Amino acid sequence: MQPCLLLVLALLGTASASHPAPHHSQEVPGMAEEGRWFHYAVVTKAHTYAGAQWHCREVLRGQLASVHSAARNQQLLNLARTYTHRRKLWIGAVTGRWGGKWGSHWEDASPWNYANWAPTYPHRLFTTCTTLSARDGLWRSKPCSQLHPFICQY
């Protein structure tokens, strides 16, 4: 592929998986399934929530990270701080109204058994996506169209 075409595709966010966005990974033990190990990747290039989910799925064959304990939240916070400071990173939770009730769920369909929301969050005005703050480790709901780096699990 021509270098200028690669640059254009990268700028449009459609570069092939053979030229993925830069990411950094670290293996940590999984807690959702006994004996299973997860790899986590911090992708520092900002994407919308949908773009981040696509990248996790198509490039890393995973999904945005789900968090099921304070220990896992701390591990992901430490990983995020290694690669970015004072930024919010997408994780795999969405808050919305389903069946007439507001609630949050993990995109990987794992149980909603832990949350670390900042005070006054999540917002319940419209469907929102969730960020993990690299500053304080708290979660905040944001419009899914915002651009943020993100954490994949695979």
Coordinates of all heavy atoms in Angstrom, one line a residue, residues 40-116:
Y40 N -4.8 -7.0 28.5 CA -5.4 -5.7 28.4 C -4.5 -4.8 27.6 O -3.3 -4.8 27.7 CB -5.6 -5.0 29.8 CG -6.7 -5.8 30.6 CD1 -6.3 -6.8 31.4 CD2 -8.0 -5.4 30.5 CE1 -7.3 -7.5 32.1 CE2 -9.0 -6.1 31.2 CZ -8.6 -7.1 32.0 OH -9.6 -7.8 32.6
A41 N -5.1 -4.0 26.7 CA -4.4 -3.0 25.9 C -5.0 -1.7 26.1 O -6.2 -1.5 26.0 CB -4.5 -3.5 24.4
V42 N -4.1 -0.7 26.3 CA -4.5 0.7 26.3 C -4.2 1.2 24.9 O -3.1 1.2 24.5 CB -3.7 1.5 27.4 CG1 -4.0 3.0 27.3 CG2 -4.0 1.0 28.8
V43 N -5.2 1.7 24.3 CA -5.0 2.3 22.9 C -5.1 3.8 23.1 O -6.1 4.4 23.6 CB -6.1 1.8 22.0 CG1 -5.9 2.5 20.6 CG2 -6.1 0.3 21.8
T44 N -4.0 4.5 22.8 CA -3.9 5.9 23.1 C -4.5 6.8 22.1 O -4.7 8.0 22.4 CB -2.4 6.3 23.3 OG1 -1.6 5.9 22.2 CG2 -1.8 5.6 24.6
K45 N -4.8 6.3 20.9 CA -5.4 7.1 19.9 C -6.9 7.2 20.2 O -7.6 6.2 20.5 CB -5.3 6.4 18.5 CG -5.9 7.3 17.4 CD -5.7 6.7 16.0 CE -6.4 7.6 15.0 NZ -6.5 6.9 13.8
A46 N -7.4 8.4 20.3 CA -8.8 8.6 20.7 C -9.8 8.2 19.6 O -9.6 8.4 18.4 CB -9.0 10.1 21.0
H47 N -10.9 7.5 20.0 CA -12.0 7.1 19.2 C -13.3 7.3 19.9 O -13.3 7.5 21.1 CB -11.9 5.5 19.0 CG -10.8 5.1 18.0 ND1 -10.9 5.1 16.7 CD2 -9.6 4.5 18.3 CE1 -9.8 4.7 16.1 NE2 -9.0 4.3 17.1
T48 N -14.4 7.3 19.1 CA -15.7 7.3 19.7 C -15.9 5.9 20.4 O -15.1 5.0 20.2 CB -16.8 7.4 18.6 OG1 -16.8 6.3 17.8 CG2 -16.7 8.7 17.8
Y49 N -16.9 5.8 21.2 CA -17.1 4.5 21.9 C -17.3 3.4 20.8 O -16.7 2.3 21.0 CB -18.4 4.6 22.7 CG -18.6 3.4 23.6 CD1 -18.0 3.2 24.8 CD2 -19.5 2.4 23.1 CE1 -18.2 2.1 25.6 CE2 -19.7 1.2 23.8 CZ -19.1 1.1 25.1 OH -19.3 0.0 25.8
A50 N -18.1 3.6 19.8 CA -18.3 2.6 18.8 C -17.0 2.3 18.0 O -16.7 1.1 17.7 CB -19.4 3.1 17.8
G51 N -16.2 3.3 17.8 CA -14.9 3.1 17.1 C -13.9 2.3 18.0 O -13.2 1.5 17.5
A52 N -14.0 2.6 19.3 CA -13.1 1.9 20.2 C -13.6 0.4 20.3 O -12.7 -0.5 20.3 CB -13.2 2.5 21.6
Q53 N -14.9 0.2 20.4 CA -15.4 -1.2 20.4 C -15.0 -1.9 19.1 O -14.6 -3.1 19.2 CB -16.9 -1.2 20.6 CG -17.5 -2.5 20.8 CD -17.2 -3.1 22.2 OE1 -16.0 -3.4 22.5 NE2 -18.2 -3.4 23.0
W54 N -15.1 -1.3 18.0 CA -14.7 -1.9 16.7 C -13.2 -2.3 16.7 O -12.9 -3.4 16.3 CB -15.0 -0.9 15.6 CG -14.6 -1.5 14.2 CD1 -15.4 -2.2 13.4 CD2 -13.3 -1.4 13.6 NE1 -14.7 -2.6 12.3 CE2 -13.5 -2.1 12.4 CE3 -12.1 -0.9 13.9 CZ2 -12.4 -2.3 11.5 CZ3 -11.1 -1.0 13.1 CH2 -11.2 -1.7 11.9
H55 N -12.4 -1.3 17.2 CA -10.9 -1.6 17.3 C -10.6 -2.8 18.1 O -9.9 -3.7 17.8 CB -10.2 -0.4 17.8 CG -8.7 -0.6 17.8 ND1 -7.9 -0.2 16.8 CD2 -7.9 -1.1 18.8 CE1 -6.6 -0.5 17.1 NE2 -6.6 -1.0 18.3
C56 N -11.3 -2.9 19.3 CA -11.0 -4.0 20.2 C -11.4 -5.3 19.6 O -10.7 -6.3 19.6 CB -11.8 -3.8 21.5 SG -11.3 -2.5 22.6
R57 N -12.6 -5.3 18.9 CA -13.1 -6.5 18.2 C -12.3 -6.9 17.0 O -11.9 -8.1 16.9 CB -14.6 -6.3 17.9 CG -15.3 -7.5 17.5 CD -16.8 -7.3 17.3 NE -17.2 -6.0 16.7 CZ -17.7 -4.9 17.3 NH1 -17.9 -5.0 18.6 NH2 -18.0 -3.9 16.6
E58 N -12.0 -6.0 16.1 CA -11.4 -6.3 14.8 C -9.9 -6.4 14.9 O -9.3 -7.2 14.1 CB -11.8 -5.3 13.8 CG -13.3 -5.3 13.5 CD -13.9 -6.6 13.0 OE1 -13.2 -7.3 12.2 OE2 -15.0 -7.0 13.4
V59 N -9.3 -5.6 15.7 CA -7.8 -5.6 15.7 C -7.3 -6.6 16.8 O -6.3 -7.3 16.5 CB -7.2 -4.2 16.0 CG1 -5.7 -4.2 16.1 CG2 -7.7 -3.3 14.8
L60 N -7.9 -6.6 17.9 CA -7.4 -7.5 19.1 C -8.3 -8.7 19.3 O -8.0 -9.5 20.2 CB -7.3 -6.6 20.3 CG -6.3 -5.4 20.2 CD1 -6.4 -4.5 21.4 CD2 -4.9 -5.9 20.0
R61 N -9.4 -8.8 18.6 CA -10.3 -10.0 18.8 C -10.8 -10.0 20.2 O -10.9 -11.1 20.8 CB -9.7 -11.3 18.4 CG -9.1 -11.3 17.0 CD -10.3 -11.4 16.0 NE -9.8 -11.4 14.7 CZ -10.1 -10.5 13.7 NH1 -10.9 -9.6 14.0 NH2 -9.6 -10.6 12.5
G62 N -11.2 -8.8 20.8 CA -11.7 -8.8 22.1 C -12.8 -7.8 22.2 O -13.6 -7.6 21.3
Q63 N -12.9 -7.1 23.3 CA -14.0 -6.0 23.5 C -13.4 -5.0 24.5 O -12.4 -5.2 25.1 CB -15.3 -6.6 24.0 CG -15.2 -7.3 25.4 CD -15.1 -8.8 25.3 OE1 -15.5 -9.4 24.3 NE2 -14.5 -9.4 26.2
L64 N -14.2 -3.9 24.7 CA -13.8 -2.9 25.7 C -13.9 -3.6 27.0 O -14.7 -4.5 27.3 CB -14.8 -1.7 25.6 CG -14.5 -0.8 24.5 CD1 -15.7 0.2 24.4 CD2 -13.2 -0.1 24.6
A65 N -13.0 -3.2 27.9 CA -12.8 -3.9 29.2 C -14.0 -3.8 30.1 O -14.7 -2.7 30.2 CB -11.6 -3.3 29.9
S66 N -14.4 -4.9 30.8 CA -15.4 -4.9 31.8 C -14.6 -5.0 33.1 O -13.6 -5.6 33.2 CB -16.4 -6.0 31.6 OG -15.8 -7.3 31.6
V67 N -15.2 -4.4 34.2 CA -14.5 -4.3 35.5 C -15.5 -4.9 36.5 O -16.6 -4.5 36.7 CB -14.2 -2.9 35.8 CG1 -13.4 -2.8 37.1 CG2 -13.5 -2.2 34.7
H68 N -15.0 -5.9 37.2 CA -15.8 -6.7 38.2 C -15.3 -6.6 39.6 O -15.9 -7.3 40.5 CB -16.0 -8.1 37.7 CG -16.6 -8.2 36.4 ND1 -18.0 -8.1 36.2 CD2 -16.1 -8.4 35.2 CE1 -18.3 -8.2 34.9 NE2 -17.2 -8.4 34.3
S69 N -14.3 -5.8 39.9 CA -13.9 -5.7 41.3 C -13.0 -4.4 41.5 O -12.5 -3.9 40.5 CB -13.0 -6.9 41.7 OG -11.8 -6.9 41.0
A70 N -12.9 -4.0 42.7 CA -12.0 -2.9 43.0 C -10.6 -3.2 42.6 O -9.8 -2.3 42.2 CB -12.1 -2.5 44.5
A71 N -10.1 -4.4 42.8 CA -8.8 -4.8 42.5 C -8.5 -4.7 41.0 O -7.5 -4.2 40.5 CB -8.5 -6.3 42.9
R72 N -9.5 -5.2 40.2 CA -9.4 -5.0 38.7 C -9.4 -3.6 38.3 O -8.6 -3.1 37.4 CB -10.5 -5.8 38.0 CG -10.5 -5.7 36.5 CD -9.2 -6.0 35.7 NE -8.5 -7.2 36.3 CZ -8.7 -8.5 35.9 NH1 -9.6 -8.8 35.0 NH2 -8.0 -9.4 36.5
N73 N -10.3 -2.8 38.9 CA -10.3 -1.3 38.6 C -8.9 -0.7 38.9 O -8.4 0.1 38.1 CB -11.4 -0.7 39.4 CG -11.8 0.7 38.9 OD1 -12.5 0.8 37.9 ND2 -11.4 1.7 39.6
Q74 N -8.3 -1.1 40.0 CA -7.0 -0.5 40.3 C -5.9 -1.0 39.3 O -5.1 -0.2 38.9 CB -6.6 -0.9 41.8 CG -5.3 -0.3 42.2 CD -5.4 1.2 42.4 OE1 -6.4 1.8 42.9 NE2 -4.5 2.0 41.8
Q75 N -6.0 -2.2 38.9 CA -5.0 -2.7 37.9 C -5.2 -1.9 36.6 O -4.2 -1.5 36.0 CB -5.3 -4.2 37.6 CG -4.8 -5.1 38.7 CD -5.3 -6.6 38.5 OE1 -6.4 -6.8 37.9 NE2 -4.4 -7.5 38.9
L76 N -6.4 -1.7 36.2 CA -6.6 -1.0 34.9 C -6.2 0.5 35.1 O -5.7 1.1 34.2 CB -8.1 -1.1 34.5 CG -8.5 -2.5 34.1 CD1 -9.9 -2.6 33.6 CD2 -7.6 -3.1 33.0
L77 N -6.5 1.1 36.3 CA -6.1 2.4 36.5 C -4.5 2.5 36.5 O -4.0 3.5 35.8 CB -6.5 2.9 37.9 CG -6.0 4.2 38.4 CD1 -6.4 5.4 37.5 CD2 -6.6 4.5 39.8
N78 N -3.8 1.6 37.1 CA -2.4 1.6 37.0 C -1.9 1.5 35.6 O -0.9 2.2 35.2 CB -1.8 0.5 37.9 CG -2.0 0.7 39.4 OD1 -2.3 1.8 39.8 ND2 -1.9 -0.3 40.2
L79 N -2.5 0.6 34.8 CA -2.1 0.4 33.4 C -2.4 1.7 32.6 O -1.5 2.1 31.9 CB -2.9 -0.8 32.8 CG -2.6 -1.1 31.4 CD1 -1.1 -1.5 31.2 CD2 -3.5 -2.2 30.9
A80 N -3.5 2.3 32.8 CA -3.9 3.5 32.1 C -2.8 4.6 32.5 O -2.4 5.3 31.6 CB -5.3 4.0 32.5
R81 N -2.5 4.8 33.7 CA -1.5 5.8 34.1 C -0.2 5.6 33.5 O 0.6 6.6 33.4 CB -1.4 5.9 35.7 CG -2.6 6.5 36.3 CD -2.5 6.5 37.8 NE -3.5 7.2 38.4 CZ -3.8 7.2 39.7 NH1 -3.0 6.4 40.5 NH2 -4.8 7.9 40.2
T82 N 0.2 4.4 33.2 CA 1.5 4.1 32.6 C 1.6 4.8 31.2 O 2.6 5.2 30.8 CB 1.7 2.6 32.4 OG1 1.6 2.0 33.7 CG2 3.0 2.2 31.8
Y83 N 0.4 4.9 30.5 CA 0.4 5.4 29.1 C -0.2 6.7 28.9 O -0.1 7.3 27.8 CB -0.2 4.3 28.2 CG 0.6 3.0 28.3 CD1 0.0 1.9 29.0 CD2 1.8 2.9 27.8 CE1 0.8 0.7 29.1 CE2 2.6 1.7 27.9 CZ 2.0 0.6 28.6 OH 2.7 -0.5 28.7
T84 N -1.0 7.2 29.8 CA -1.7 8.5 29.6 C -2.0 9.1 31.0 O -2.2 8.4 32.0 CB -3.0 8.3 28.8 OG1 -3.6 9.5 28.5 CG2 -4.0 7.4 29.5
H85 N -2.0 10.4 31.1 CA -2.3 11.1 32.3 C -3.4 12.0 32.2 O -3.6 12.7 31.2 CB -1.0 11.9 32.8 CG 0.2 11.0 33.0 ND1 0.3 10.2 34.2 CD2 1.3 10.7 32.3 CE1 1.4 9.5 34.1 NE2 2.0 9.8 33.0
R86 N -4.2 12.1 33.2 CA -5.4 13.1 33.3 C -6.3 12.9 32.1 O -6.8 13.9 31.6 CB -4.9 14.5 33.5 CG -4.2 14.6 34.8 CD -3.6 16.0 34.9 NE -2.6 15.9 36.0 CZ -2.5 16.8 37.0 NH1 -3.3 17.8 37.0 NH2 -1.7 16.6 37.9
R87 N -6.5 11.7 31.7 CA -7.4 11.5 30.6 C -8.5 10.5 31.0 O -8.2 9.7 31.9 CB -6.6 10.9 29.4 CG -5.6 11.9 29.0 CD -5.4 12.2 27.5 NE -6.4 12.1 26.6 CZ -6.2 11.8 25.3 NH1 -5.0 11.5 24.9 NH2 -7.2 11.7 24.5
K88 N -9.5 10.5 30.3 CA -10.6 9.5 30.5 C -10.5 8.5 29.4 O -10.2 8.8 28.2 CB -11.9 10.2 30.5 CG -12.1 11.2 31.6 CD -13.4 12.0 31.5 CE -13.5 13.0 32.6 NZ -12.5 14.0 32.7
L89 N -10.6 7.2 29.7 CA -10.5 6.1 28.8 C -11.8 5.3 28.8 O -12.4 5.1 29.8 CB -9.4 5.1 29.2 CG -8.0 5.7 29.2 CD1 -7.6 6.2 30.6 CD2 -7.0 4.6 28.8
W90 N -12.3 5.0 27.6 CA -13.5 4.2 27.5 C -13.3 2.8 28.1 O -12.2 2.2 27.9 CB -13.9 4.0 26.0 CG -14.4 5.1 25.2 CD1 -13.9 5.6 24.0 CD2 -15.5 6.0 25.5 NE1 -14.6 6.6 23.6 CE2 -15.6 6.9 24.5 CE3 -16.4 6.1 26.6 CZ2 -16.6 7.9 24.5 CZ3 -17.4 7.1 26.6 CH2 -17.5 8.0 25.5
I91 N -14.3 2.3 28.8 CA -14.4 0.9 29.2 C -15.8 0.5 28.7 O -16.5 1.2 28.2 CB -14.3 0.7 30.8 CG1 -15.3 1.6 31.5 CG2 -12.8 1.1 31.2 CD1 -15.3 1.3 33.0
G92 N -16.0 -0.8 28.8 CA -17.2 -1.4 28.1 C -18.5 -1.4 28.7 O -19.3 -2.3 28.7
A93 N -18.9 -0.3 29.4 CA -20.2 -0.2 30.0 C -21.0 0.9 29.4 O -20.5 2.0 29.0 CB -20.0 0.2 31.5
V94 N -22.3 0.7 29.3 CA -23.3 1.6 28.7 C -24.4 1.7 29.7 O -24.9 0.8 30.4 CB -23.9 1.1 27.4 CG1 -25.0 2.0 26.8 CG2 -22.7 0.9 26.3
T95 N -24.9 3.0 29.9 CA -26.1 3.3 30.7 C -27.2 3.8 29.9 O -27.0 4.7 29.0 CB -25.7 4.3 31.8 OG1 -24.6 3.8 32.6 CG2 -26.9 4.7 32.7
G96 N -28.4 3.2 30.0 CA -29.5 3.6 29.2 C -30.8 3.2 29.8 O -30.8 2.6 30.9
R97 N -31.8 3.4 29.1 CA -33.2 3.0 29.5 C -33.6 1.8 28.7 O -33.8 1.9 27.5 CB -34.1 4.2 29.4 CG -35.4 4.0 30.0 CD -36.2 5.3 29.9 NE -37.5 5.1 30.4 CZ -38.0 5.7 31.5 NH1 -37.2 6.6 32.2 NH2 -39.2 5.5 32.0
W98 N -33.8 0.7 29.3 CA -34.3 -0.5 28.7 C -35.5 -1.0 29.4 O -35.5 -1.2 30.7 CB -33.2 -1.6 28.7 CG -32.0 -1.1 27.9 CD1 -31.9 -1.2 26.5 CD2 -30.8 -0.6 28.4 NE1 -30.6 -0.7 26.1 CE2 -30.0 -0.3 27.3 CE3 -30.3 -0.2 29.6 CZ2 -28.7 0.3 27.4 CZ3 -29.1 0.3 29.7 CH2 -28.3 0.6 28.6
G99 N -36.6 -1.3 28.7 CA -37.8 -1.8 29.4 C -38.4 -0.8 30.4 O -38.9 -1.2 31.4
G100 N -38.2 0.5 30.1 CA -38.7 1.5 31.0 C -37.9 1.8 32.2 O -38.3 2.6 33.0
K101 N -36.8 1.1 32.4 CA -35.9 1.3 33.6 C -34.5 1.7 33.2 O -34.0 1.2 32.2 CB -35.8 0.0 34.4 CG -37.1 -0.4 35.1 CD -36.9 -1.7 35.8 CE -37.2 -1.5 37.2 NZ -37.1 -2.7 38.0
W102 N -33.9 2.6 34.0 CA -32.6 3.0 33.7 C -31.6 2.0 34.3 O -31.9 1.4 35.4 CB -32.3 4.4 34.4 CG -32.8 5.5 33.6 CD1 -34.0 6.1 33.8 CD2 -32.2 6.1 32.4 NE1 -34.2 7.1 32.8 CE2 -33.1 7.1 32.0 CE3 -31.0 5.9 31.7 CZ2 -32.8 7.9 30.9 CZ3 -30.8 6.6 30.6 CH2 -31.7 7.6 30.2
G103 N -30.6 1.7 33.7 CA -29.6 0.7 34.2 C -28.3 0.8 33.4 O -28.2 1.4 32.3
S104 N -27.3 0.1 33.9 CA -26.0 0.0 33.2 C -25.8 -1.5 32.9 O -26.2 -2.4 33.7 CB -24.9 0.5 34.1 OG -25.1 1.9 34.4
H105 N -25.0 -1.8 31.8 CA -24.7 -3.1 31.5 C -23.3 -3.2 30.9 O -22.8 -2.2 30.3 CB -25.7 -3.8 30.6 CG -25.7 -3.3 29.2 ND1 -26.5 -2.2 28.8 CD2 -25.1 -3.7 28.1 CE1 -26.3 -2.0 27.5 NE2 -25.4 -2.9 27.1
W106 N -22.6 -4.3 30.9 CA -21.4 -4.5 30.3 C -21.6 -5.0 28.8 O -22.5 -5.9 28.6 CB -20.5 -5.6 31.0 CG -20.1 -5.1 32.3 CD1 -20.5 -5.5 33.6 CD2 -19.2 -4.0 32.6 NE1 -19.9 -4.8 34.6 CE2 -19.0 -3.9 34.0 CE3 -18.4 -3.1 31.8 CZ2 -18.2 -2.9 34.6 CZ3 -17.6 -2.2 32.4 CH2 -17.5 -2.1 33.8
E107 N -20.9 -4.5 27.9 CA -21.1 -4.9 26.5 C -20.8 -6.4 26.3 O -21.3 -7.0 25.3 CB -20.1 -4.1 25.6 CG -20.5 -2.6 25.5 CD -21.6 -2.3 24.5 OE1 -22.2 -3.2 24.0 OE2 -21.8 -1.1 24.3
D108 N -19.9 -7.0 27.1 CA -19.6 -8.4 26.9 C -20.6 -9.3 27.6 O -20.4 -10.5 27.6 CB -18.2 -8.7 27.4 CG -18.0 -8.6 28.9 OD1 -19.0 -8.2 29.6 OD2 -16.9 -8.8 29.4
A109 N -21.7 -8.8 28.1 CA -22.8 -9.5 28.7 C -22.4 -10.2 30.0 O -23.2 -11.0 30.5 CB -23.4 -10.5 27.7
S110 N -21.3 -9.8 30.6 CA -20.9 -10.3 31.9 C -21.8 -9.6 33.0 O -22.4 -8.6 32.7 CB -19.4 -10.1 32.2 OG -19.1 -8.7 32.1
P111 N -21.9 -10.2 34.2 CA -22.8 -9.7 35.2 C -22.4 -8.3 35.7 O -21.2 -8.0 35.7 CB -22.7 -10.6 36.4 CG -21.8 -11.8 35.9 CD -21.2 -11.4 34.6
W112 N -23.3 -7.4 36.0 CA -23.1 -6.1 36.5 C -23.0 -6.3 38.1 O -23.9 -6.2 38.8 CB -24.2 -5.1 36.2 CG -23.9 -3.7 36.6 CD1 -24.2 -3.1 37.8 CD2 -23.1 -2.8 35.9 NE1 -23.7 -1.8 37.8 CE2 -23.0 -1.6 36.6 CE3 -22.4 -2.8 34.6 CZ2 -22.3 -0.5 36.2 CZ3 -21.7 -1.7 34.2 CH2 -21.7 -0.5 35.0
N113 N -21.7 -6.6 38.5 CA -21.6 -6.9 39.9 C -20.6 -5.9 40.7 O -20.2 -6.2 41.8 CB -21.1 -8.3 40.1 CG -19.8 -8.6 39.3 OD1 -19.2 -7.7 38.7 ND2 -19.4 -9.9 39.3
Y114 N -20.2 -4.9 40.0 CA -19.3 -3.9 40.6 C -19.5 -2.6 39.8 O -19.7 -2.6 38.6 CB -17.8 -4.3 40.5 CG -16.8 -3.3 40.9 CD1 -16.6 -3.1 42.3 CD2 -16.1 -2.5 40.0 CE1 -15.7 -2.1 42.7 CE2 -15.2 -1.6 40.4 CZ -15.0 -1.3 41.7 OH -14.1 -0.4 42.1
A115 N -19.4 -1.4 40.5 CA -19.4 -0.1 39.9 C -18.5 0.8 40.7 O -18.4 0.6 42.0 CB -20.8 0.4 39.8
N116 N -17.9 1.8 40.1 CA -17.0 2.8 40.8 C -17.3 4.2 40.2 O -16.4 4.9 39.8 CB -15.6 2.4 40.6 CG -14.7 3.1 41.5 OD1 -15.0 3.4 42.7 ND2 -13.5 3.5 41.0

